[in-house]
Amino acid sequence: MTGVYILHYSVFHLLVMLSQHEIQPDEVLQILENRMGISGIEEKASRIQG
């Protein structure tokens, strides 16, 4: 398998999973955009406090 095939295969299954849970890809992209520039430790701490 080539890297491109694996990437397409992974994206396909990600979209299927999102669809099964009725989550729009834009929702995921918005969350990721909001987390840009925030470390994992900071993000986790904000969930506990907020």
Side-chain angles (χ1 to χ4, degrees), residues 18-31:
L18 291 174
S19 175
Q20 289 294 312
H21 292 278
E22 298 181 356
I23 299 171
Q24 296 296 315
D26 288 341
E27 294 177 59
V28 176
L29 294 175
Q30 184 62 50
I31 290 168

Side-chain angles (χ1 to χ4, degrees), residues 1-14:
M1 278 194 252
T2 67
V4 173
Y5 175 79
I6 292 170
L7 177 63
H8 288 164
Y9 187 77
S10 298
V11 170
F12 171 77
H13 284 91
L14 173 64

